[in-house]
Amino acid sequence: VLDTSGGILIGEVLLWCYVGLGVLLLNNLVLALIQEEVDNASKADEATQAVRAEQKKVQMVAELVDLFEDIDDDGSGQVTLEELMSELKQNPKGRLAHKFTLLDLSPTDVEMLWYVLDDGDGSLDAQEFAQGIRKCSGPTRAVDALAALKLCTKLLRQLGK
């Protein structure tokens, strides 16, 4: 069938429209496949990061338990404030001093940290020490501040009774 105005076949126009539409659909299909691959890679990366974070946490606790055992002079499984301060005084450039420096803790802060970590029995076991020091590293979370505020409020109520 001829178009009388210019001699172009209507079939050719329809063919080119069909080819153009096919190219557009194929392009969208390829983009969708690429997006799916990117999403899958992102999910795999998140899982890998979570595993690495957990491994780092476990490694840090193990290092802190090892450090605790070095500080525990008498091998009792408990470290007193005196043992902690003695270690810092005898080895001012040792592993404990280095760890506290990394946490931006001065010697006066160490004593305050001791009283925060101690559950009231006058000594720390390996778990108290490792978990407490680990919580000191990293950013302060809002939930930590809220927990402290709630504890203070609870103590004030108890003191007021």
Side-chain angles (χ1 to χ4, degrees), residues 141-153:
R141 301 175 309 162
V143 70
D144 295 329
L146 288 173
L149 180 62
K150 183 172 183 169
L151 180 60
C152 289
T153 303

Side-chain angles (χ1 to χ4, degrees), residues 10-72:
I10 293 178
E12 278 185 52
V13 171
L14 289 175
L15 177 65
W16 283 110
C17 287
Y18 181 74
V19 168
L21 183 60
V23 168
L24 184 63
L25 291 173
L26 185 60
N27 185 37
N28 283 342
L29 179 63
V30 169
L31 288 175
L33 291 173
I34 291 171
Q35 183 62 46
E36 184 178 353
E37 286 299 314
V38 167
D39 289 345
N40 289 340
S42 176
K43 288 176 186 172
D45 188 45
E46 288 174 6
T48 301
Q49 287 178 356
V51 167
R52 284 185 185 148
E54 185 62 27
Q55 289 171 341
K56 187 176 179 181
K57 176 181 163 184
V58 168
Q59 179 184 0
M60 183 178 191
V61 169
E63 289 172 3
L64 288 169
V65 168
D66 184 52
L67 180 59
F68 175 88
E69 291 169 354
D70 288 348
I71 300 167
D72 185 15

Side-chain angles (χ1 to χ4, degrees), residues 56-100:
K56 187 176 179 181
K57 176 181 163 184
V58 168
Q59 179 184 0
M60 183 178 191
V61 169
E63 289 172 3
L64 288 169
V65 168
D66 184 52
L67 180 59
F68 175 88
E69 291 169 354
D70 288 348
I71 300 167
D72 185 15
D73 290 335
D74 59 5
S76 65
Q78 302 286 319
V79 170
T80 63
L81 177 59
E82 291 75 28
E83 286 176 306
L84 186 70
M85 297 307 282
S86 172
E87 173 66 23
L88 288 171
K89 200 176 268 188
Q90 290 175 5
N91 299 308
K93 301 220 185 259
R95 288 184 351 167
L96 181 64
H98 179 69
K99 179 60 79 177
F100 285 158

